[in-house]
Amino acid sequence: MDRRCNRRDFLRQSSTIGAGLALANLGNIVGATETDSNTAQKLSDDKTLRIGFVGIGVRGSCLLKILLELEGVQVRALCDIREDRVTRAQRWVEEAGQKIPSGYSKSDTDFKRMCETEDLDLVITATPWQWHVPVCVSAMEAGKHAATEVPAAVTLDECWQLVETAEKHGKHCMMLENYCYFRKAMTILNMIRKGLFGELLHCEGRTQENWIRENWHIFNSDGTMGWLGEHLAKRNGNPYPTHGFGPMAIWANVNRGDRLDHLVSMSSKSRALKLHAEQSFGKDHAVAQQAYLQGDANITLIRSVNGVTFTLYFGGQSPQPWSPEHKVQGTLGTCIGELFDYDARADGWIQAKVYEKGSRWANYTNYAETYDHSLWKALGQKANKYRAWDWSGAYDYLMLYQLVNALRRNNTPPMDVYDAATWSAISELSERSVANKSSVQEVPDFTKGKWKNNAPTDLAQV
Ligand SMILES: NC(=O)c1ccc[n+]([C@@H]2O[C@H](COP(=O)([O-])OP(=O)(O)OC[C@H]3O[C@@H](n4cnc5c(N)ncnc54)[C@H](O)[C@@H]3O)[C@@H](O)[C@H]2O)c1
């Protein structure tokens, strides 16, 4: 199963599912509790959220389609450097029964004009990495909240720019880390909060991708370098840390009672990119002749101020199955294994196991129902329908639902600008460490001390 959004299937299925889901508004979700009905009641008084969307490629299309399913959302403006993508998305918005949004595609900074011209509450970006911060900063400077795809920023300077702009203009900036919404990640969070594993000691996470097989923006078909290839050619560290780190950061209360202190990082040699270039275009081709810095494997070790350790693996190029395998270790027990929760992926994957209070290994499934997270209990049935749109549709739905409803109620989104900055900062810090024989890198305190009093999050609020 290719887990990337399949555009053809997506478009074919969307109209059928859309019709079905339109019937299930917030008040009549199957399995919703009494509290959820009250929630629905409160929401009906809330304002409409006016959204501008930047970058409507593979990922942006998936997010936009789900946004159009949410109550209280109006998509008012669309921006992409490709005019055909703006036109296509304008059609989707119109088909969803909304007014045709304004389109922006004059240049690669036309999002700035959009932010300055349009009356919007929120700007979302799903552009290539290097555009995330420019879009979010333009949005916040123009008085809009911002949300960005992962990672939020490429450099440490950019991380600070996000934090300082959000603070200066009093705006929210949420990074859309959908891995935090995996059902299993949230169940484990619940198990941790209920004390099943005792005091937290250590977590392991990974971003293990197969970008070459999936042909994900490394080389374009005409032999030029894709946007991801540009990053991998010039950088060497963990360029994509947040899928692996996000769930662990929530489990371990990073920036909410604890904070990251320092890290060290090491990369293997780089092989897969050059081999891929040679095999695809021939040894004499420009992309096969150039140097590639990014090691095929990167391992980063992080320690928190309170003494929790984290291991973070990154591998995007060499042949390997996509696997968000994780481990959480506490004084009373551990849970280790595959974090992905969809049954269809159960074939030969590392099934999660739990070892609780010195008992025997037990299958994670023994715990899944008892410790299911309240958000999944309330909205899981509806969220699961979006798996037909994309492998991550269920998580994207829950994440966007929380973002939209937090902002409609003038609440802080569940993941804030300090999370975005801290999780993304691992990129440049790991690169600096790799470049200096795994030297120790201090992790900046983006919260400037606020981490001491910030309450932990259980990702349950809307
Ligand atoms: N959370 C996830 O699971 C997940 C999955 C895939 C991708 N992503 C993230 O989503 C983002 C986009 O990935 P993708 O696969 O959709 O890439 P993509 O190349 O398919 O889409 C990017 C879009 O942005 C447009 N664009 C580029 N520069 C622009 C600019 N300056 N202004 C406006 N539009 C611009 C492109 O024309 C394209 O339509 C990346 O940050 C990626 O890391 C996240």
Side-chain angles (χ1 to χ4, degrees), residues 3-4 54-61 79-82 85 104 107-111 125-129 131-132 135 149-151 176-179 216-217 227 240 243 391-392 396 399:
R3 62 188 186 81
R4 303 245 171 249
V54 187
I56 322 150
V58 178
R59 181 73 182 141
S61 301
C79 172
D80 196 295
I81 45 172
R82 285 184 48 177
R85 294 196 168 167
Y104 293 81
S107 72
D108 60 6
T109 53
D110 213 20
F111 54 80
T125 175
T127 47
W129 301 340
W131 290 106
H132 292 174
V135 174
E149 255 307 333
V150 300
L176 300 171
E177 186 40 85
N178 50 356
Y179 281 43
W216 194 53
H217 311 307
W227 65 259
Y240 207 51
H243 284 340
W391 72 272
S392 65
D396 299 335
M399 175 180 71

Side-chain angles (χ1 to χ4, degrees), residues 218-247:
I218 294 180
F219 301 125
N220 300 316
S221 50
D222 63 0
T224 53
M225 194 79 94
W227 65 259
L228 178 66
E230 298 276 3
H231 283 275
L232 300 178
K234 293 186 199 127
R235 300 167 57 192
N236 187 11
N238 184 334
Y240 207 51
T242 69
H243 284 340
F245 192 68

Side-chain angles (χ1 to χ4, degrees), residues 45-50 71-76 121 408:
D45 300 333
D46 291 339
K47 63 174 183 184
T48 298
L49 203 69
R50 299 160 303 174
E71 210 171 298
V73 163
Q74 272 179 16
V75 176
R76 292 278 186 92
D121 302 300
R408 286 178 72 202

Side-chain angles (χ1 to χ4, degrees), residues 178-206 242-260 304 306 308-312 324-330 333-341 352-354 364 371 373 376 414-415 419 423 455-459:
N178 50 356
Y179 281 43
C180 296
Y181 288 86
F182 281 16
R183 192 170 206 149
K184 207 176 274 179
M186 298 190 85
T187 305
I188 292 171
L189 174 64
N190 210 10
M191 291 161 85
I192 293 170
R193 295 290 186 261
K194 298 251 160 63
L196 219 75
F197 303 123
E199 191 180 341
L200 216 64
L201 301 167
H202 176 70
C203 298
E204 293 175 17
R206 50 179 52 215
T242 69
H243 284 340
F245 192 68
M248 304 198 285
I250 301 289
W251 295 341
N253 296 329
V254 172
N255 289 342
R256 297 176 175 84
D258 197 359
R259 77 168 183 84
L260 302 186
S304 79
N306 289 347
V308 178
T309 49
F310 303 87
T311 312
L312 194 55
E325 194 187 318
H326 272 66
K327 174 176 183 177
V328 54
Q329 176 70 61
T334 186
C335 177
I336 181 166
E338 180 64 49
L339 203 64
F340 193 53
D341 48 68
K353 294 256 191 189
V354 175
Y364 161 84
Y371 293 96
H373 191 280
W376 272 94
M415 294 180 281
D419 297 318
W423 307 357
T457 179
D458 58 5
L459 293 182

